[in-house]
């Protein structure tokens, strides 16, 4: 594709995928919407740079998710010393008073996810949010299938330990 046709095809792709990329990035960043926006933008920028070669990619949407996870893991490795994570998530904009049970459940899950190590978060998002196979997850994370199985089991155990009975309490409301 050349010029306008290439740009139109990319714009259609970016419009269709940006919401999913942002939601996945939110999960990866533990609810940090600003960082999630940055990651989604970086992913879309990288996809635009590759767009002429995208015809050789079987599934551009899955490839974009791979780019997103790798950008997240790279960002975590290079994290600037000046950035400090918050102990608690700020109150979401537009929520006056106490959030409802569904919002509490989401916030509790995001907080627990945010306390996981970046690679643990990535494996949970890929396996259980993106519903990827062990092999696909291993390819994205550039590790073996056995490493994905081990990390998945350990990350889920950490989530269960963090959440304890609070998840059951929130879900039953």
């Amino acid at each position: 594709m050349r010029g306008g046709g290439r740009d139109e095809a990319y714009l259609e792709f970016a419009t269709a995928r940006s919401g999913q990329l942002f939601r996945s990035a939110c999960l990866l960043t533990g609810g940090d919407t600003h960082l999630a926006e940055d990651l989604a933008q970086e992913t879309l920028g990288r996809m635009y740079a590759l767009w002429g070669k995208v015809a050789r990619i079987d599934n551009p949407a899955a490839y974009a998710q791979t780019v997103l996870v790798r950008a997240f893991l790279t960002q975590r490795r290079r994290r600037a010393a000046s950035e400090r994570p918050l102990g608690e998530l700020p109150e979401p904009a537009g929520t006056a008073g106490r959030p409802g049970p569904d919002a509490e459940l989401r916030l509790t899950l995001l907080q627990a996810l945010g306390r996981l190590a970046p690679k643990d978060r990535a494996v949970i998002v890929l396996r259980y949010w993106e519903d990827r196979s062990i092999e696909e997850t291993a390819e994205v994370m550039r590790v073996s299938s056995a490493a994905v199985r081990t990390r998945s089991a350990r990350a889920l155990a950490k989530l269960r330990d963090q959440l304890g009975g609070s998840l059951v309490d929130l879900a039953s409301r």
Side-chain angles (χ1 to χ4, degrees), residues 12-164:
E12 184 178 321
F13 169 81
T15 301
R17 297 304 304 165
S18 61
Q20 179 65 36
L21 288 170
F22 177 72
R23 285 187 294 278
S24 294
C26 280
L27 291 171
L28 288 169
T29 62
D32 183 339
T33 57
H34 299 291
L35 183 54
E37 288 173 353
D38 290 346
L39 284 169
Q41 277 302 109
E42 182 176 344
T43 299
L44 290 171
R46 289 182 184 184
M47 289 300 293
Y48 182 74
L50 295 169
W51 198 249
K53 300 173 188 170
V54 90
R56 290 183 271 172
I57 298 171
D58 291 335
N59 186 345
Y63 188 76
Q65 291 297 132
T66 299
V67 170
L68 175 75
V69 171
R70 288 182 181 166
F72 166 73
L73 292 173
T74 298
Q75 183 272 336
R76 297 303 295 181
R77 280 191 293 270
R78 285 191 260 152
R79 188 171 172 154
S82 63
E83 291 185 30
R84 299 279 183 232
L86 298 175
E88 296 180 27
L89 290 174
E91 187 172 321
T95 57
R98 189 168 157 77
D102 198 35
E104 282 184 58
L105 177 60
R106 267 184 263 166
L107 287 174
T108 301
L109 289 172
L110 276 175
Q111 288 171 341
L113 199 56
R115 288 189 292 268
L116 292 177
K119 288 184 179 180
D120 289 346
R121 234 178 295 160
V123 79
I124 293 292
V125 169
L126 287 168
R127 290 283 293 129
Y128 304 105
W129 172 257
E130 294 293 325
D131 198 28
R132 294 214 183 183
S133 70
I134 290 171
E135 293 74 22
E136 289 172 323
T137 303
E139 184 179 327
V140 169
M141 295 183 68
R142 297 180 178 155
V143 297
S144 69
S145 295
V148 168
R149 283 187 204 91
T150 301
R151 188 170 291 278
S152 294
R154 288 180 183 163
L156 285 173
K158 288 176 189 175
L159 277 176
R160 285 185 192 107
D161 286 345
Q162 286 182 35
L163 295 170

